[in-house]
Amino acid sequence: MNQFAMTIDGKDVQGEMPSSMVLNPANEQQAFLAPMASVAQLNKAVESAKTAYPNWSSLTQTKRDEYINKIADVIELNASVLASIIVEEQGKPTQLAQMEVGGAVAWTRHTASIEIPVEVYEDSENKRIEGRRKSIGVVGSITPWNWPLMIAIWHIIPALRMGNTVVLKPSELTPVNTLKLGQLLQDVLPAGVLNVISGGGDIGRAMSEHQQINKLVFTGSTPTGQNIMQAAATNLKRLTLELGGNDAGIVLPNADLDAITEGLFATAFINMGQTCAALKRLYVHESQHDELCQKLADIATKQVVGDGFGDGVTFGPVQNSAQLEKVIAMVDEANQQGAVIYSGGARLDKAGYFYPPTIIGNARSGMRVVEEEQFGPVLPVIKYKSVEQAITEANSVEVGLGGSLWGDVEQASELASQLECGSVWINGHAEVLPHAPFGGCKMSGFGVEFGLEGLLENSLLQVVNINK
Ligand code: NAD
């Protein structure tokens, strides 16, 4: 069964540590056995990336772009196998897994097409000062379990494009799609340019401390991001930290609920709510609260909850039992504290981590489901009396990834700057695109991904002073 291997120095490598069971969240049975790396194997992967670096970084941009477009071709050719692995280990419905693979291809191609300008700070008779971009060296990437293939691509493609070589470690909960990606790319990239190893937090920690890793890109929870930042001090690694969020959406007074309810539901429950920038708290004027909760619940109860491979299934399981337990506890607590459950509210009575989309009305500050990131299929709806109060409450959490305003575009546009977050969407939420930078503020991390700014984070600025 253990047909998936790590990729070190362009070759299949089995783990030196005992393999780990990867469960299918739709039936709680073993789906795969994944190899587990030892620290010695991490060191080999880093060594191999370091050896490959001089050649890779000295290729022309055109040549590297050719390689990157070949990566997109290979993902496209293997789209169905990759999507099927994602459904089996991550749980999302097939159509969403196919979207994830399609997104990975689109992101790869777009990233290869971004022009990298040379900045000219001065160009006078006697002097020219230019800002040029250099690669950094070996980039480490550590990914989470919610969008495993897409996030791996978000990390590795900009790093490779800028001339760095990579060591990638996926989440131990969903490693197989990424291991498969590494294996598929063995024939595409020169040996050592992309190494994929699997392991848990111990290997993540060893990567954060590693003296030969020059930059680390991390997507995951805020506490892990804090650990990484401390460990990265050993060699002052460059960091991009995309951490947790607890995004608020504010429905402005008198908004047309028929026009926005589908969008609110879709962006709150995308990937069963297991999306960093999903809508996680919804503020609505008290006069529209009951009507909006009911409209959202009407959409929720129409969802077909089941195994991602099932015909017509629109809503898969939660990815793992710890996440499911967290959601159950938060909803039960809110219920005891006087919230109203408009839909869902209990685990399905069958094998698999199934929890239907849950709309909680009469939620309020102080409830854990409002204060903390649920990262699951639940949306608390909170009443407000004034827009100022809604904005204050939206900003009251420690994290600041995204936020949204729904209703009149002009009013929303004026209010946008009052939200403390990295992205604001108006009449939308959770929309990330390869050409628009995305990143958080406060405890949601720092640095951005995507677009030119995201690409440049994978480079060092060198200022060249030319005295003519
Ligand atoms: P997690 O922090 O538990 O794990 C993420 C990765 O970190 C895994 O690969 C894990 O093995 C590794 N890890 C664990 N301990 C480590 C350590 N001490 N040092 C280094 N690496 C370590 O997060 P998760 O549960 O996989 O993902 C869910 C979280 O990710 C949520 O909070 C979500 O909001 C966040 N997330 C953020 C974004 C974003 O772009 N901001 C995107 C997706 C997910």
Side-chain angles (χ1 to χ4, degrees), residues 142-146 151 169-172 200-201 204-205 208 218-221 224 227-228 242-245 276 373 375 401 438:
I142 302 178
T143 58
W145 48 259
N146 56 341
I151 293 176
K169 186 203 87 66
S171 165
E172 57 275 38
R205 179 158 189 97
S208 319
F218 171 70
T219 301
S221 64
T224 306
N227 286 333
I228 287 176
E242 297 287 1
L243 309 179
C276 54
E373 182 184 38
F375 214 63
L401 194 55
F438 169 75

Side-chain angles (χ1 to χ4, degrees), residues 37-328:
S38 63
V39 172
Q41 289 181 308
L42 163 66
N43 292 339
K44 278 192 193 143
V46 175
E47 199 48 49
S48 153
K50 220 181 146 199
T51 307
Y53 173 68
N55 279 345
W56 180 254
S57 59
S58 57
L59 291 179
T60 61
Q61 195 61 68
T62 313
K63 188 69 202 162
R64 274 205 297 271
D65 289 348
E66 272 173 28
Y67 276 113
I68 290 172
N69 278 307
K70 273 191 214 148
I71 295 178
D73 295 343
V74 167
I75 299 175
E76 219 160 18
L77 265 175
N78 293 278
S80 66
V81 64
L82 287 165
S84 145
I85 295 171
I86 292 172
V87 176
E88 205 164 345
E89 64 179 338
Q90 204 285 329
K92 67 189 64 174
T94 300
Q95 214 188 350
L96 194 58
Q98 285 165 343
M99 254 179 63
E100 179 166 356
V101 179
V105 173
W107 243 278
T108 302
R109 291 208 198 286
H110 180 80
T111 308
S113 74
I114 299 174
E115 293 280 332
I116 301 156
V118 172
E119 267 206 74
V120 179
Y121 305 116
E122 180 178 339
D123 194 14
S124 56
E125 200 184 338
N126 295 319
K127 191 184 271 295
R128 182 175 164 92
I129 309 177
E130 291 179 356
R132 298 180 189 167
R133 293 286 165 171
K134 282 169 64 72
S135 49
I136 304 174
V138 176
V139 171
S141 149
I142 302 178
T143 58
W145 48 259
N146 56 341
W147 292 93
L149 186 76
M150 182 91 104
I151 293 176
I153 289 295
W154 289 352
H155 288 190
I156 65 181
I157 300 299
L160 295 177
R161 173 107 201 283
M162 294 310 291
N164 308 288
T165 53
V166 172
V167 176
L168 161 64
K169 186 203 87 66
S171 165
E172 57 275 38
L173 295 169
T174 52
V176 178
N177 64 87
T178 314
L179 291 167
K180 179 72 183 169
L181 177 71
Q183 291 182 291
L184 290 171
L185 297 182
Q186 287 173 11
D187 293 336
V188 175
L189 294 168
V193 167
L194 172 66
N195 302 274
V196 182
I197 55 168
S198 42
D202 53 331
I203 293 293
R205 179 158 189 97
M207 288 173 74
S208 319
E209 287 171 343
H210 208 290
Q211 294 292 323
Q212 309 298 331
I213 293 181
N214 308 100
K215 175 184 167 92
L216 202 78
V217 191
F218 171 70
T219 301
S221 64
T222 297
T224 306
Q226 289 174 298
N227 286 333
I228 287 176
M229 195 167 165
Q230 277 177 345
T234 50
N235 66 335
L236 291 184
K237 261 176 212 72
R238 271 65 191 150
L239 291 176
T240 301
L241 297 179
E242 297 287 1
L243 309 179
N246 190 1
D247 288 13
I250 299 174
V251 176
L252 295 172
N254 304 315
D256 177 354
L257 298 187
D258 286 332
I260 62 173
T261 310
E262 291 273 354
L264 290 168
F265 183 87
T267 57
F269 291 97
I270 178 167
N271 203 30
M272 284 48 75
Q274 303 163 121
T275 297
C276 54
L279 173 52
K280 295 183 177 129
R281 298 173 284 153
L282 184 60
Y283 292 85
V284 59
H285 189 265
E286 56 187 359
S287 62
Q288 290 187 299
H289 169 274
D290 296 359
E291 189 188 350
L292 181 57
C293 287
Q294 194 51 57
K295 282 181 184 295
L296 287 166
D298 290 345
I299 302 176
T301 47
K302 285 197 193 106
Q303 300 308 306
V304 182
V305 182
D307 186 326
F309 286 119
D311 273 347
V313 166
T314 59
F315 212 85
V318 171
Q319 201 280 328
N320 59 77
S321 63
Q323 194 59 49
L324 176 64
E325 291 306 326
K326 195 169 162 186
V327 168
I328 292 172

